[in-house]
Amino acid sequence: MRILVLGHTGYLGRHVAAQLGALGSVFGGGRSPDADLRVDLATADPGRLAENLADLSPDAVVNCSGSLGADPVTDAEVNARGPAVLCAALRRAAPAARLVHLGSAAEYGACEPGVPVTEDAPTLPATSYGATKLAGTVAVASSGLDAVVLRVGNPIGPGATPMSLPGGTALRLRRAGVDRDAVVRFGDLSAHRDFVDVRDLARAVAAATTSGPLPRILNISGGRAVPIRELVRELAVVAGFRGRIEEAGVGSVRSARVAWQCSDITAAREALGWEPRFTLTDSLAALWASLGAPGEADSPA
């Protein structure tokens, strides 16, 4: 089986490519110099991309590329235009290939507290990131290809990016060290999020790559709403942090607009035979271990 992983050097893409290695030949796609297919979906020409895809002749394509809310323009170019261009190229070059696209639970927006959202729930994204990810999902779901969108919860686990809450918190705790007088300050931590270990996500992608006909959209998450405050405090325990954690002011824009988020993963269990294996504690321990020794570079491996 020939599998192309776009965004193979990113946080999600690295884990996904490693997991897919057991299924066949994996080719990396993206902007990195060592990519088998050099492409930037934000600016790629559909015709040229189709030619390159025809040469590669993939049986499956996994799109892990995405912008993490850097700014609205970049979000639109990468998260909305990118999947549309990819679908257009695949229709010309490899119409029978399975396409697995990574969407985001941010596409749902605000949810009713206590009620996990199913795939047919209304989508009312609260940020440009969520809105552009939704546009990418629509492009994939309406493409006519053999495609599935995995709506991913909040990824966590080894190598988490510093731009994410878990990754950024881990770095702040490491910098604070074990000084009992250290203080790490956050905004409001009362929001609830649904975390999924990146290794569980990679397993879901592998299952989606090889399964028979699938629904257009599947939620992939831990299936549990976790208070962000709980995550921060548990990570502090894992880190051996002995100082104080303080909350002051407001949290992020998304936290203010989306106070509670949890995805129903029943459909993924039924369609993929998949469910998460790693607990939150497992994920946080693996995240902390991935930072390396305090003297090493302050970014996850």
Side-chain angles (χ1 to χ4, degrees), residues 8 47-48 73 124 189 192 201 210 217 248 250 253 263 270 278 288 294:
H8 70 295
R48 179 61 183 274
V73 173
L124 297 168
L189 298 175
H192 289 61
L201 168 60
T210 56
I217 300 172
V250 298
V253 172
S263 296
E270 295 175 349
F278 294 96
W288 184 254

Side-chain angles (χ1 to χ4, degrees), residues 9-63:
T9 60
Y11 171 45
L12 304 183
R14 294 197 307 272
H15 290 274
V16 166
Q19 182 73 33
L20 292 174
L23 300 180
S25 300
V26 176
F27 302 89
R31 294 176 296 177
S32 63
D34 64 342
D36 299 293
L37 174 61
R38 292 287 300 277
V39 62
D40 181 353
L41 292 180
T43 59
D45 174 74
R48 179 61 183 274
L49 178 56
E51 293 175 2
N52 293 335
L53 287 171
D55 291 338
L56 194 61
S57 189
D59 299 300
V61 176
V62 180
N63 185 23

